[in-house]
Amino acid sequence: QVQMVESGGGSAQAGGSLKLSCKYTSRQECMGWFRQAPGKEREGVASIYGGFFAMYADSVRGRFTISLDNFENTLYLQMNNLTIEDTAMYFCATAPGKVCPLRPSEYNYWGQGTQVAVSS
């Protein structure tokens, strides 16, 4: 059974940084970060395959970095230059496959989420 636990969320000012962590017991080939703002659908933020091949949503490319530490069984999301639009609940998830899309429907194991709130 895959278990995933996110941490690192909190409050930040616009322009600031946060680093999210996702500790997992086991994983599949794809790992991803997703977010859901109030009243909006869950959306993909970043994904990574094999620890090296990363994909980003247009809205975060150049500001967020996804990374994977297989030794520590931890997935990270470094978030820089935060904006108010980044405010959301952030989830990590894992999926099988060699292509790691940013579609939430492709992922079958999820963490409970960590809240990120960005203020001006």
Side-chain angles (χ1 to χ4, degrees), residues 42-92:
R42 191 169 297 189
E43 64 175 0
V45 174
S47 67
I48 190 166
Y49 170 78
F52 297 101
F53 300 103
M55 184 182 301
Y56 296 94
D58 290 342
S59 59
V60 307
R61 188 176 294 112
R63 301 188 297 121
F64 290 10
T65 302
I66 188 171
S67 60
L68 185 64
D69 186 331
N70 287 311
F71 182 76
E72 295 291 337
N73 279 12
T74 305
L75 177 73
Y76 297 101
L77 185 69
Q78 177 67 49
M79 306 187 295
N80 297 329
N81 195 19
L82 287 162
T83 71
I84 292 175
E85 289 71 30
D86 296 318
T87 295
M89 183 74 80
Y90 283 72
F91 302 87
C92 61

Side-chain angles (χ1 to χ4, degrees), residues 1-118:
Q1 182 75 9
V2 175
Q3 292 184 336
M4 310 177 81
V5 180
E6 302 92 338
S7 63
S11 299
Q13 287 195 321
S17 298
L18 285 173
K19 186 172 185 177
L20 306 184
S21 300
C22 171
K23 190 79 171 176
Y24 55 87
T25 55
S26 61
R27 69 173 181 89
Q28 301 167 102
E29 293 88 347
C30 292
M31 297 286 285
W33 284 100
F34 299 81
R35 66 187 181 187
Q36 188 166 17
K40 294 189 176 181
E41 293 187 354
R42 191 169 297 189
E43 64 175 0
V45 174
S47 67
I48 190 166
Y49 170 78
F52 297 101
F53 300 103
M55 184 182 301
Y56 296 94
D58 290 342
S59 59
V60 307
R61 188 176 294 112
R63 301 188 297 121
F64 290 10
T65 302
I66 188 171
S67 60
L68 185 64
D69 186 331
N70 287 311
F71 182 76
E72 295 291 337
N73 279 12
T74 305
L75 177 73
Y76 297 101
L77 185 69
Q78 177 67 49
M79 306 187 295
N80 297 329
N81 195 19
L82 287 162
T83 71
I84 292 175
E85 289 71 30
D86 296 318
T87 295
M89 183 74 80
Y90 283 72
F91 302 87
C92 61
T94 186
K98 290 185 170 61
V99 177
C100 302
L102 295 177
R103 292 188 299 274
S105 60
E106 302 289 333
Y107 291 74
N108 52 354
Y109 290 100
W110 292 82
Q112 293 299 308
T114 186
Q115 181 68 46
V116 170
V118 183

